[in-house]
Amino acid sequence: MTYKDLQILFEDNHLLVVVKPVDVPVQADASGDPDMLTMLKRYLVEKYNKSGDAYLGLVHRLDRPTGGVMMFAKTSKCAERLCEAIKNGDVDKKYLAILDGSPRYKADKLMCYLKKFSDTNTVKIVPALTEGAKYAELDYKVLAEKQGMSLVSVKLITGRGHQIRVQMAGMGTPIVGDRRYGNGIKSKLPLCLWATELRLSHPISGKTMVFRVYPPETEPWTAFDVDAFLRLSAPTDD
């Protein structure tokens, strides 16, 4: 895979918004597989005929098995402002997920504390006073139920590593295809977690921008009428 295989949704002098494919790492790791940061830097070098390396700021992350909309900063000033906006909760990140089973409540707010265990690269729900624990919060809503699965929308309030995956599994309804936190035959499918929307104020102009992308047209996504819940649109101003 090269940058030519990536879908670029938006680009100006400050911001680069792309679709991250499933199973592509955000940045270089031990696997040596092509990663988003390296590919997009190569894209900038070749497009603008830069000598040497190109600056590209990584301001948020998606797990390797998660696909969807992702933004990068093309300048350090933009990166600083985007990081601050994310920290202050001024960037809305919405996801679609397919759960193995049905949550007890059709809509709810999940709040807990999470701790990462580096030796196993896993995250667990822990008591609030646990050393190294971080507060995690999200809102979810069940959109449809079919074939023993649930299509849910998720709005992240905090952005912890593996957060959605761990909190969904904590309800007893892990995300379909989650080999780390799921179980059973449905855990052997590709991870059904998709970053479907980013809403933010442009870090320089201040204009409200909305980016929405559909999940892959593959099973089990195609078992649901995703289009009924997500209307694809170009970036707009509110």
Side-chain angles (χ1 to χ4, degrees):
M1 172 177 281
T2 71
Y3 72 79
K4 295 179 182 179
D5 300 305
L6 301 177
Q7 181 183 0
I8 295 176
L9 301 176
F10 176 84
E11 181 182 2
D12 63 8
N13 291 333
H14 314 282
L15 191 62
L16 183 61
V17 184
V18 302
V19 178
K20 175 188 157 330
V22 170
D23 202 33
V24 174
V26 168
Q27 61 185 136
D29 60 17
S31 71
D33 294 337
D35 65 278
M36 295 297 291
L37 198 58
T38 301
M39 286 190 286
L40 290 170
K41 282 186 175 183
R42 173 53 51 186
Y43 159 74
L44 294 175
V45 166
E46 295 189 7
K47 179 176 181 179
Y48 298 104
N49 196 26
K50 293 178 176 288
S51 59
D53 200 8
Y55 176 86
L56 194 64
L58 181 60
V59 296
H60 70 123
R61 299 172 184 272
L62 293 175
D63 292 345
R64 176 169 178 150
T66 304
V69 61
M70 190 171 182
M71 62 181 174
F72 295 81
K74 292 176 66 177
T75 67
S76 57
K77 180 179 180 179
C78 177
E80 182 180 350
R81 291 188 179 183
L82 284 175
C83 287
E84 189 67 20
I86 292 171
K87 180 181 178 180
N88 293 336
D90 296 329
V91 175
D92 285 340
K93 292 183 278 188
K94 296 181 181 178
Y95 295 75
L96 287 178
I98 299 176
L99 306 184
D100 186 358
S102 299
R104 180 180 179 184
Y105 301 105
K106 301 307 180 186
D108 202 3
K109 179 183 291 289
L110 301 183
M111 298 171 286
C112 67
Y113 283 82
L114 301 177
K115 181 176 180 177
K116 181 176 182 178
F117 294 84
S118 299
D119 55 336
T120 57
N121 193 27
T122 57
V123 175
K124 296 181 180 180
I125 297 174
V126 296
L129 297 181
T130 302
E131 183 179 357
K134 295 183 178 180
Y135 177 73
E137 180 180 342
L138 61 76
D139 297 320
Y140 78 85
K141 180 180 180 180
V142 176
L143 303 176
E145 297 171 297
K146 195 173 185 180
Q147 301 173 9
M149 300 179 291
S150 304
L151 176 69
V152 301
S153 62
V154 179
K155 180 178 180 181
L156 273 183
I157 309 302
T158 59
R160 309 303 182 194
H162 297 192
Q163 179 181 338
I164 299 175
R165 298 164 65 183
V166 174
Q167 288 190 288
M168 294 297 109
M171 293 193 297
T173 51
I175 296 175
V176 169
D178 197 337
R179 301 180 185 185
R180 194 176 301 266
Y181 301 106
N183 53 66
I185 191 169
K186 287 190 175 70
S187 69
K188 301 184 186 302
L189 297 170
L191 183 70
C192 292
L193 177 61
W194 186 258
T196 194
E197 181 177 303
L198 269 179
R199 179 184 293 264
L200 67 147
S201 295
H202 190 283
I204 307 302
S205 71
K207 291 183 178 179
T208 298
M209 310 189 78
V210 181
F211 302 94
R212 299 187 185 100
V213 292
Y214 280 100
E217 292 185 3
T218 56
E219 288 286 353
W221 290 108
T222 51
F224 296 93
D225 184 10
V226 174
D227 190 57
F229 308 106
L230 177 63
R231 294 290 184 259
L232 192 65
S233 66
T236 58
D237 298 341
D238 281 359

